[in-house]
Amino acid sequence: MKDVKVLGPGCAKCKATAEVIAAVAKDTGAAVTLGKVEDMREIVGYGVMSTPAVVVDGKVVHAGSVPGRAVVEGWLK
């Protein structure tokens, strides 16, 4: 099971990022736990300066834009 977190203040792009990840997980049958981190101190603690950002199993894999489906599929394999 993959632990996935979307980092961001809850903006539209952050919500879209979470929706893409949830849709890909559902469509591919990937087992994920999807969480959101909105606390700026915690976000900065990951070294992230632009949101939305995505953390998979404790590692920042994306920051600054909404990822595409193909990219998300690669993370969840």
Side-chain angles (χ1 to χ4, degrees):
M1 178 170 296
K2 300 274 185 180
D3 179 38
V4 181
K5 294 182 175 121
V6 176
L7 312 181
C11 64
K13 288 183 180 181
C14 299
K15 291 175 185 174
T17 298
E19 289 170 4
V20 168
I21 294 168
V24 169
K26 181 180 177 188
D27 293 348
T28 62
V32 300
T33 57
L34 181 58
K36 296 180 184 176
V37 176
E38 296 182 354
D39 179 68
M40 289 309 291
R41 289 183 192 185
E42 192 173 347
I43 292 169
V44 172
Y46 281 99
V48 170
M49 294 297 162
S50 61
T51 59
V54 180
V55 175
V56 177
D57 293 335
K59 180 180 176 188
V60 177
V61 295
H62 187 83
S65 65
V66 177
R69 288 184 62 92
V71 172
V72 174
E73 287 174 7
W75 300 334
L76 301 184
K77 286 185 178 181

